[in-house]
Amino acid sequence: MTRPLAFVTAITIAAGVFFAGWDLLGAREIKPERRIDSKTLFDLVKVSFAVVAGAGALVVAYRRQQIDKDGPSRSATLVMTSSTAAEGVRVAGAGYGPAPGG
């Protein structure tokens, strides 16, 4: 599934769930208020954190999937990089340290 199609599908499902809940609750209009009480404020904060946590979980799951997909080539790259880095440190450090015989 391509990314734009997945995004549109997710938005469509979210809208469907919202309107189904709206209908099940029997709401017909939104009453505008200038001030909100603390319960509404805390509910808004909880929803905000839930949205951020959900988005973060999706990002982590996506990255994990990409790493698992690239696993064999990634581990070969890490082995090559770590052995090259170790060799570079050994060569760079060869001119330093105590003098031979001293």
Side-chain angles (χ1 to χ4, degrees):
M1 186 180 267
T2 62
R3 289 182 191 167
L5 181 61
F7 180 73
V8 169
T9 303
I11 293 297
T12 304
I13 291 171
V17 169
F18 174 80
F19 286 116
W22 181 273
D23 189 46
L24 287 173
L25 291 173
R28 297 295 168 232
E29 65 182 43
I30 297 175
K31 183 176 92 174
E33 294 184 26
R34 295 265 181 205
R35 300 178 72 171
I36 58 173
D37 60 349
S38 61
K39 181 184 180 310
T40 306
L41 176 65
F42 289 133
D43 286 343
L44 180 61
V45 169
K46 285 192 292 188
V47 168
S48 300
F49 279 120
V51 168
V52 171
L58 288 175
V59 169
V60 168
Y62 175 76
R63 292 296 302 146
R64 184 171 292 156
Q65 179 185 12
Q66 293 301 313
I67 289 171
D68 288 346
K69 184 172 75 172
D70 298 335
S73 63
R74 182 174 168 80
S75 61
T77 303
L78 288 174
V79 168
M80 179 60 96
T81 303
S82 63
S83 64
T84 305
E87 182 66 20
V89 169
R90 188 185 65 77
V91 169
Y96 298 102

